[in-house]
Amino acid sequence: MKFIWGKKELTLMIIPGANHRTVRFKLPHSSLYIVPSLILLVLIGFFVTIYLMNIYSHQTRTSMQQTFDGQERQLVNQITLKNSELEQLQNNLIDLSQQANEFKVKLEEIKKLDHVIQLMSQPEGTNRTSKKLSMESTESLGGVRSDIGGSEVPVTSQEVTTLVSSTKQGLTSLVGDINALLVNLSESEVRLEEAERLRSITPTLWPTVTHVITSGFGIRRDPFTLKPTMHAGLDLDGETNDPVYATAAGKVVEASFDNEHGNHIIIDHSRGIQTEYMHLNKMLVKRGESVTKGQKIGLLGSTGRSTGSHLHYEVHKNGVQIDPSPYLITNRKDEP
């Protein structure tokens, strides 16, 4: 390559080889200044671009570092919060487990109460089969003490999982026990109500304050004719105007006077049982009136066919007079 200087222009010759054609370029003389200037401008632009890129890269790195630091702090705060929430959940789980154990103790007490109710609701003379109560579990769960201690050992995830599983199983078992207990309590309540109803309509109460029997049930010599007659009740001694009580709850089906029975009251107790109270000085109830067990229904006297103040008391079963003695088992003061 060869330059040829002229007055106003430059000739650029490129000679590739002996066997090739020479290539000439004519350049203006001013290109000696323009080309270096362009090269200088390009270099300046390059270095300025590199500098600006370094500044932008530094700012970007700084911004990214700040963002990363912020995200790191936020992540640390979130982890700390999650750890606190996890610890709180573990404490709540422990409380729930303890409450479940305490509830088991209460459930055992309710089971014992249900057992007592079942025994109370069973009729007299029946075979009372006792349930086996889980006293061992009651004893093992009952004593929660405050004087406790030991080393501080962090719990493992396996231990927490085991506690969750056992608590869940315990609560599931409790739900089953509660459902069964509710059924038993409902059945016991029905039986108890029925037993209470039967108790209230069964004439087990003494109708007078005194328990002196002057004439029993059965064949005796009639006090007026002195002939053998059937005495279909009990004569209970007492003073005039002593209180006379209904021996069971029921409905008054008769409250009237006749020459033989005097002032007398008949109470129907359902199930084919009736009681009759004769020779009253005064009647305190009327026909059609409902009475409760132990209610005062009259005053003792000697009206009708009677030799003195007493109460003639009869028990009728399906229309037949029976001996009242087996029914007289309860004092009025023993009644609620």
Side-chain angles (χ1 to χ4, degrees):
M1 182 175 67
K2 182 179 180 181
F3 286 101
I4 300 176
W5 296 88
K7 293 182 177 181
K8 294 183 179 181
E9 58 183 14
L10 296 174
T11 301
L12 179 61
M13 296 179 63
I14 299 174
I15 304 173
N19 299 325
H20 294 83
R21 183 181 177 179
T22 302
V23 180
R24 291 183 174 85
F25 295 97
K26 291 184 177 182
L27 300 175
H29 187 267
S30 60
S31 61
L32 291 175
Y33 306 101
I34 294 174
V35 172
S37 298
L38 291 176
I39 293 174
L40 180 61
L41 289 175
V42 170
L43 291 175
I44 293 173
F46 175 76
F47 286 114
V48 169
T49 302
I50 295 297
Y51 176 74
L52 293 177
M53 288 181 64
N54 286 333
I55 294 177
Y56 177 75
S57 176
H58 177 71
Q59 292 177 347
T60 302
R61 287 196 303 271
T62 302
S63 177
M64 291 179 64
Q65 184 65 37
Q66 292 175 351
T67 301
F68 176 77
D69 292 341
Q71 291 178 347
E72 184 179 15
R73 286 193 299 270
Q74 184 178 5
L75 182 60
V76 170
N77 293 334
Q78 289 178 350
I79 292 175
T80 303
L81 179 60
K82 295 299 182 183
N83 289 335
S84 176
E85 292 177 350
L86 179 60
E87 182 178 355
Q88 183 62 40
L89 287 175
Q90 291 174 349
N91 290 329
N92 292 339
L93 178 61
I94 294 173
D95 293 339
L96 180 61
S97 178
Q98 293 176 348
Q99 291 173 0
N101 290 337
E102 294 173 0
F103 190 77
K104 287 180 181 178
V105 176
K106 298 298 182 182
L107 186 61
E108 292 299 327
E109 295 178 358
I110 296 175
K111 285 182 179 180
K112 289 188 286 186
L113 178 60
D114 175 55
H115 177 66
V116 172
I117 292 175
Q118 290 187 13
L119 293 179
M120 291 174 58
S121 64
Q122 291 178 356
E124 294 292 335
T126 58
N127 182 23
R128 299 182 177 183
T129 303
S130 300
K131 287 183 177 180
K132 181 179 180 181
L133 301 177
S134 53
M135 300 299 294
E136 296 179 358
S137 61
T138 302
E139 294 175 356
S140 62
L141 296 173
V144 179
R145 298 177 58 87
S146 59
D147 47 344
I148 57 179
S151 302
E152 182 181 2
V153 180
V155 297
T156 64
S157 59
Q158 180 63 34
E159 291 171 339
V160 174
T161 302
T162 302
L163 181 59
V164 170
S165 178
S166 62
T167 303
K168 181 179 179 180
Q169 292 176 358
L171 291 176
T172 302
S173 176
L174 281 178
V175 170
D177 289 343
I178 291 173
N179 290 333
L181 184 59
L182 289 176
V183 174
N184 291 336
L185 285 175
S186 298
E187 294 176 352
S188 297
E189 182 180 10
V190 172
R191 291 193 298 268
L192 190 59
E193 290 177 353
E194 178 62 17
E196 177 62 23
R197 189 185 73 84
L198 292 176
R199 186 195 65 82
S200 66
I201 64 176
T202 302
T204 59
L205 187 67
W206 281 82
T208 56
V209 176
T210 63
H211 297 172
V212 178
I213 299 175
T214 57
S215 182
F217 179 88
I219 299 175
R220 70 171 184 177
R221 180 176 286 115
D222 185 85
F224 293 96
T225 65
L226 301 181
K227 295 180 180 180
T229 56
M230 179 63 185
H231 190 228
L234 296 179
D235 288 341
L236 302 175
D237 192 20
E239 300 294 332
T240 300
N241 292 329
D242 279 353
V244 175
Y245 306 106
T247 57
K251 184 176 182 180
V252 177
V253 295
E254 186 173 343
S256 60
F257 173 85
D258 62 44
N259 291 331
E260 183 175 352
H261 300 152
N263 293 320
H264 63 283
I265 298 171
I266 299 178
I267 301 176
D268 182 66
H269 307 288
S270 73
R271 298 170 62 91
I273 301 294
Q274 291 184 338
T275 55
E276 186 170 4
Y277 312 79
M278 301 180 190
H279 310 305
L280 301 174
N281 189 44
K282 184 178 181 180
M283 297 178 292
L284 303 180
V285 292
K286 297 179 180 180
R287 182 178 180 179
E289 186 176 341
S290 295
V291 296
T292 59
K293 191 170 188 175
Q295 179 179 334
K296 187 177 178 180
I297 60 174
L299 301 178
L300 189 143
S302 183
T303 59
R305 193 170 184 268
S306 171
T307 62
S309 296
H310 73 285
L311 173 69
H312 178 85
Y313 173 66
E314 293 185 2
V315 175
H316 306 164
K317 186 172 184 180
N318 297 323
V320 178
Q321 292 100 331
I322 61 174
D323 186 0
S325 298
Y327 286 89
L328 300 179
I329 59 177
T330 308
N331 293 328
R332 181 175 181 273
K333 64 181 179 180
D334 297 332
E335 288 296 304

